[in-house]
Amino acid sequence: MPYSAKAIANYFLDRANAAGQEITPMKMQKLVYIAHGWHLAIHGEPLIDEPVEAWRFGPVIPSLFQVFRKYGASPIAEHADGVGRRALDNTNAQTLLDGVMEAHGEMSAIDLMRLTHAKGSPWSSVRDEDDFSSYGDIIDDGVIKDHFTQLDALAQEKRKQAA
């Protein structure tokens, strides 16, 4: 069963606070999107219960934008309201989120934006990089899943070659 994007964001905030890290709204968008993509690829089902949209600065989950927009480019200081801090009841989801934080938690929002804007990314498949006016184009979960499945296959191939 998918979680609210706010619950995932709250989990990331707890992890970041425990590690002495800060998360800006843009960075949060990218972390939740990346976690959603890996969950689709590994577990075959969505992590979050709402669509991801292609905005100018990359994949965006609109509910998170609304909740955290007041922070601008500053670190998020409070958890998202309205979802409580219910513990994730799925060990697979927790393990995945922890892995995303380990792999990407120290990256800047700009570095994560570049990663999610890469040529061939799901964002680039629905977004014209030079069109600054369009918002709201939904990035299909199937496209996201295929992209992260390809990333997983590439990583597995690299591990085989290194062994």
Side-chain angles (χ1 to χ4, degrees):
M1 178 168 105
Y3 294 93
S4 79
K6 294 174 189 176
I8 301 303
N10 287 346
Y11 186 87
F12 279 137
L13 286 171
D14 286 341
R15 285 292 314 268
N17 290 338
Q21 297 172 333
E22 296 178 330
I23 299 179
T24 64
M26 183 189 292
K27 183 173 180 174
M28 181 62 77
Q29 289 286 347
K30 306 318 172 222
L31 290 173
V32 174
Y33 164 74
I34 290 167
H36 177 64
W38 281 113
H39 199 273
L40 284 164
I42 294 168
H43 301 293
E45 60 186 25
L47 176 65
I48 59 173
D49 61 4
E50 64 184 284
V52 178
E53 296 181 2
W55 288 19
R56 178 179 177 191
F57 295 108
V60 170
I61 296 97
S63 68
L64 294 183
F65 177 79
Q66 293 302 324
V67 168
F68 296 127
R69 72 186 294 174
K70 65 185 176 186
Y71 295 105
S74 299
I76 297 169
E78 298 173 336
H79 285 81
D81 289 334
V83 293
R85 288 202 205 173
R86 87 173 162 103
L88 297 178
D89 56 7
N90 181 321
T91 305
N92 290 330
Q94 290 174 351
T95 300
L96 185 136
L97 296 176
D98 292 343
V100 168
M101 277 300 286
E102 286 177 30
H104 302 290
E106 293 189 21
M107 293 177 74
S108 72
I110 297 299
D111 288 339
L112 289 170
M113 183 184 78
R114 288 184 184 121
L115 185 69
T116 61
H117 277 216
K119 192 170 209 132
S121 70
W123 176 87
S124 72
S125 73
V126 298
R127 178 82 183 164
D128 178 356
E129 193 169 343
D130 296 324
D131 180 7
F132 299 122
S133 63
S134 102
Y135 287 88
D137 294 331
I138 293 176
I139 305 173
D140 185 81
D141 274 352
V143 173
I144 297 169
K145 179 181 179 180
D146 290 347
H147 176 74
F148 280 87
T149 300
Q150 290 173 1
L151 291 177
D152 188 40
L154 289 172
Q156 288 182 29
E157 185 62 32
K158 284 183 182 180
R159 283 192 294 272
K160 283 182 187 176
Q161 291 176 358

